[in-house]
Amino acid sequence: MLKLGILGLGEGRSTISAALNSSKIELVKMCDLNEALCKQRAEEFNFYAYTTQYSDLLEDKSIDAIAVYTPDKFHAEHVKLALMHGKHVVCTKPFIDNLADAKPLLELAQSSGKKVFIGQSSRFFEPMKRQRADFEKGVIGELITIEAYYHADHRWFLAKPWSLESNFKWLYGGLSHPVDFIRWYLPDIEEVMGYGMLSSNGKAGGLKNEDTMHFIFKAKDGRIARVSGAYTGPIQPVMRDSEMSCILRGTTGCSQGDYMDLRYAVTTAEGEEKIITWEHKLKHYFRFEGKSHHAGEYQNYLEYFADNIAAGTTAYPDITEGIGTVILLQAMDRSLRLGTPVKLQELYDEFGLENPIR
């Protein structure tokens, strides 16, 4: 059983539920600087082992791993301290916000012998799990191209004061999910080109950066993919479309995994067309206020991580993949600013990192 400490009890709320409902995880202690939030979570989950000092997690020898759910700008420091104290790490996406931290963290993870796993939750949602399993079984043949998107009416999000700061970008807050799908199936992306705009709704709401974006990716072997995101306008009825989706087009079939809807569609190599749903798992995936804080995915990936720790194997996405996704996101950001295609190798060279596809 993996003994876990949780840092950051806002997003970490799902992880608390995940750990307390898992036979493979033991929640030892949780931590947040905000003592009122600690007390709120303690009452909510009837779990009172909390602290406001991160050092209490780091120095607790009974804790095997620390799950980091703090704001992005603190990830690098919190992961570093956990590794220095001999803890495995689960870190929510995106892994880091400054690539200058990448090389030191890679070296520290290697020297510590501890595992770093990136909590890219959407990979662990039921339709995406089935889509990946079908892909690996060859149900759609050889992959030709992939399309992924995240379109959501997130105007409610603008009530959060920090969403209106100049450093807030939907590129990282939203597109990191569909971008991870692209890298999952085409890990050898070498170039990206994108366009973005700030919609009239976004401007009226006070946003400073793009809320509508489209990108094209080119892999080393010549295959292409696309991602799109739009965040401040109405969306289609859920029966017609999902907020997030991943479409794989293969040589003999096609598949589509939807999110947050428990729906998967596939055309197989034999020409069979199927739509599969998992309504019986709604309570596993969604445990709070409607379809928010999708704790089931967190439990799925925590148990996957625990299984890999027990077996001495690597859980993916690992630290190298996590850094690769940040490089791709920053290349996308650079393309928006320059209005030209950007090669990922430029960023690997700039930050002294080895490109695994070079």
Side-chain angles (χ1 to χ4, degrees):
M1 183 174 287
L2 187 70
K3 296 184 178 180
L4 188 71
I6 299 174
L7 177 67
L9 304 185
E11 185 182 348
R13 181 188 188 194
S14 291
T15 313
I16 300 168
S17 173
L20 292 175
N21 283 279
S22 174
S23 61
K24 298 182 179 183
I25 309 290
E26 178 186 340
L27 180 56
V28 177
K29 195 175 295 179
M30 55 189 187
C31 175
D32 198 285
L33 281 175
N34 183 342
E35 187 170 9
L37 182 57
C38 289
K39 292 178 178 179
Q40 180 182 338
R41 295 290 179 248
E43 292 289 336
E44 180 179 6
F45 293 102
N46 193 30
F47 182 85
Y48 293 88
Y50 66 81
T51 178
T52 59
Q53 301 299 315
Y54 186 29
S55 58
D56 290 340
L57 298 189
L58 297 172
E59 294 167 8
D60 189 331
K61 297 189 183 303
S62 70
I63 292 176
D64 303 314
I66 292 177
V68 176
Y69 293 93
T70 51
D72 299 353
K73 62 184 178 181
F74 299 124
H75 289 178
E77 180 65 16
H78 290 153
V79 171
K80 180 181 78 172
L81 288 170
L83 290 172
M84 289 175 64
H85 285 79
K87 312 295 187 187
H88 299 293
V89 180
V90 176
C91 182
T92 188
K93 59 80 194 167
F95 177 47
I96 52 177
D97 68 346
N98 186 346
L99 284 171
D101 295 316
K103 190 173 182 178
L105 284 174
L106 275 169
E107 293 172 347
L108 179 56
Q110 184 176 14
S111 64
S112 71
K114 298 299 176 180
K115 302 290 188 180
V116 178
F117 170 69
I118 311 306
Q120 195 70 50
S121 60
S122 45
R123 289 192 188 191
F124 295 85
F125 194 56
E126 203 70 30
M128 278 58 189
K129 288 170 60 183
R130 174 61 182 267
Q131 184 175 39
R132 182 71 184 192
D134 279 357
F135 170 75
E136 292 178 351
K137 287 189 292 187
V139 169
I140 66 166
E142 180 185 342
L143 182 65
I144 295 174
T145 189
I146 173 174
E147 305 154 38
Y149 59 80
Y150 185 8
H151 302 150
D153 190 350
H154 280 339
R155 282 175 285 185
W156 60 269
F157 201 79
L158 305 184
K160 301 176 184 290
W162 51 266
S163 72
L164 305 181
E165 295 175 0
S166 60
N167 62 352
F168 174 76
K169 296 184 178 183
W170 277 116
L171 172 65
Y172 299 98
L175 280 178
S176 53
H177 284 287
V179 166
D180 181 66
F181 292 146
I182 300 296
R183 292 200 71 250
W184 200 13
Y185 291 96
L186 288 178
D188 58 346
I189 297 295
E190 65 175 6
E191 185 174 285
V192 61
M193 174 66 198
Y195 291 98
M197 57 171 275
L198 180 57
S199 71
S200 56
N201 281 355
K203 290 176 184 175
L207 281 175
K208 306 298 188 299
N209 297 299
E210 297 89 346
D211 59 9
T212 308
M213 294 159 281
H214 298 281
F215 292 91
I216 298 292
F217 306 87
K218 183 171 74 72
K220 190 175 183 180
D221 63 7
R223 284 184 289 182
I224 57 174
R226 67 182 172 94
V227 155
S228 64
Y231 298 103
T232 58
I235 56 175
Q236 297 280 23
V238 70
M239 291 299 292
R240 174 62 182 85
D241 203 3
S242 294
E243 290 188 3
M244 192 187 306
S245 197
C246 177
I247 303 170
L248 305 181
R249 302 189 187 277
T251 52
T252 57
C254 181
S255 68
Q256 180 166 359
D258 288 333
Y259 184 107
M260 299 178 171
D261 308 296
L262 287 160
R263 182 175 59 211
Y264 171 65
V266 62
T267 301
T268 70
E270 291 74 32
E272 183 182 9
E273 297 178 352
K274 296 186 288 188
I275 296 178
I276 303 167
T277 60
W278 292 268
E279 284 84 358
H280 63 289
K281 291 193 174 184
L282 274 169
K283 289 185 179 179
H284 171 72
Y285 283 99
F286 304 110
R287 304 176 187 180
F288 321 113
E289 300 96 26
K291 289 186 175 181
S292 68
H293 284 274
H294 23 100
E297 297 155 57
Y298 289 61
Q299 185 168 334
N300 290 350
Y301 77 54
L302 283 177
E303 292 179 350
Y304 165 76
F305 183 56
D307 287 344
N308 277 273
I309 293 298
T313 51
T314 300
Y316 295 98
D318 63 355
I319 186 170
T320 301
E321 271 198 74
I323 289 169
T325 298
V326 174
I327 285 175
L328 181 51
L329 288 166
Q330 294 205 3
M332 292 162 65
D333 202 353
R334 187 171 292 186
S335 180
L336 289 182
R337 289 188 283 106
L338 298 178
T340 60
V342 172
K343 292 187 179 297
L344 273 63
Q345 189 61 50
E346 296 173 9
L347 282 94
Y348 279 102
D349 292 342
E350 187 175 329
F351 292 95
L353 296 166
E354 182 179 350
N355 188 345
I357 69 165
R358 194 168 187 172

